[in-house]
Amino acid sequence: PTLKKTLGQIRSDIQIRLGFGGAGSASVVNTPIIDSFIRSAQEQLYIQHEWKELTTYEDIETGIDQTWYDYPADCNIERILSVSVKENDTWYELSEGITMNMRSDLTTGRPCRFERFEQMEVWPPADVAYTLRRYYVKALPDLTLDSDRVVIDDALVFLHALTNAKLHYRQPDAQAYSTQLEAMLRRLREKNRPNEPIKRTKAADWWELQSPPRVEGR
């Protein structure tokens, strides 16, 4: 895959568009605020949209009688997509939420529930070793050094940060860049619009396309 641009590269591109490219010490002075615009752009885009390239999973083995498990080092705890256990070549998805009554039941078995705390709590404690698989969205890495690379679409990060910088410096073409940004975001939303879901039929053990529910007014 093509490497995303670095913080230093995006900052330099923004300073050129702002007219500070050859300003010498002036470009150094505005470096902190430009970097802030870039970090904010990546964070906002990360929160507002799904980024499939940041989705991954980890397989670990459950410990017998074990309840607590560490998260993967790069995991965004708030964006865990699913948790499943494998038994006899079949995957079973865990539901989220563990009640106090459940915690009072110390019977071991195949885990079927989980909860997000400082560590992940799983219930019931495993009676044997299972494979525990967790799909999640990676957390944003630090973006502080010039050599640090953005992890999502660098063209979007650049345009988002540039728009805010143009507005901050009250440059007359700020609205033009804002329009470009909205067009790119609209295309991104359309691209990531969910397709028809595939579900197992109740009558038979096979998969079929299910039409999405009709929304009034569309």
Side-chain angles (χ1 to χ4, degrees):
T2 304
L3 289 175
K4 302 292 193 301
K5 287 188 174 182
T6 65
L7 173 65
Q9 290 172 324
I10 297 175
R11 182 202 310 126
S12 177
D13 291 343
I14 290 175
Q15 288 172 332
I16 290 171
R17 294 293 185 97
L18 292 173
F20 299 141
S25 60
S27 63
V28 176
V29 170
N30 67 24
T31 289
I33 192 169
I34 300 299
D35 287 357
S36 177
F37 286 137
I38 296 170
R39 282 191 290 269
S40 178
Q42 176 165 253
E43 289 167 0
Q44 290 183 47
L45 291 166
Y46 172 82
I47 291 170
Q48 294 172 3
H49 302 279
E50 296 297 327
W51 300 97
K52 294 180 180 179
E53 63 267 36
L54 297 182
T55 301
T56 187
Y57 70 89
E58 179 197 61
D59 285 346
I60 59 173
E61 188 173 279
T62 60
I64 297 176
D65 290 328
Q66 184 174 344
T67 302
W68 298 96
Y69 295 88
D70 292 332
Y71 296 102
D74 60 350
C75 176
N76 180 341
I77 299 173
E78 298 300 322
R79 297 182 76 171
I80 293 174
L81 305 178
S82 68
V83 182
S84 303
V85 293
K86 186 178 182 182
E87 181 182 33
N88 298 327
D89 296 325
T90 300
W91 289 99
Y92 298 89
E93 187 166 355
L94 279 65
S95 299
E96 186 166 6
I98 301 174
T99 67
M100 294 308 296
N101 286 338
M102 291 176 181
R103 294 187 179 97
S104 298
D105 184 351
L106 301 180
T107 305
T108 60
R110 187 188 76 222
C112 63
R113 313 280 297 192
F114 76 96
E115 195 81 74
R116 310 177 210 207
F117 294 113
E118 185 176 359
Q119 291 177 295
M120 177 177 285
E121 182 183 13
V122 169
W123 182 90
D127 55 341
V128 297
Y130 298 93
T131 298
L132 182 71
R133 173 170 291 183
R134 296 176 287 188
Y135 280 92
Y136 61 92
V137 178
K138 294 180 181 179
L140 283 179
D142 291 335
L143 194 60
T144 54
L145 303 177
D146 281 5
S147 57
D148 290 340
R149 296 184 184 277
V150 297
V151 295
I152 60 179
D153 191 315
D154 51 21
L156 263 176
V157 173
F158 164 73
L159 192 54
H160 194 296
L162 177 61
T163 299
N164 284 332
K166 288 279 185 179
L167 290 169
H168 173 79
Y169 287 105
R170 299 181 181 180
Q171 295 191 353
D173 55 351
Q175 185 56 49
Y177 286 103
S178 179
T179 301
Q180 291 179 38
L181 175 62
E182 182 53 42
M184 289 186 71
L185 291 174
R186 186 163 52 248
R187 288 195 296 271
L188 175 65
R189 287 191 290 268
E190 291 171 353
K191 177 182 176 182
N192 290 329
R193 186 170 294 164
N195 297 320
E196 292 180 314
I198 300 176
K199 297 182 179 178
R200 191 188 299 273
T201 64
K202 295 181 179 179
D205 189 24
W206 56 282
W207 300 86
E208 68 176 12
L209 283 174
Q210 303 289 317
S211 298
R214 183 174 181 273
V215 178
E216 295 298 329
R218 291 187 180 180

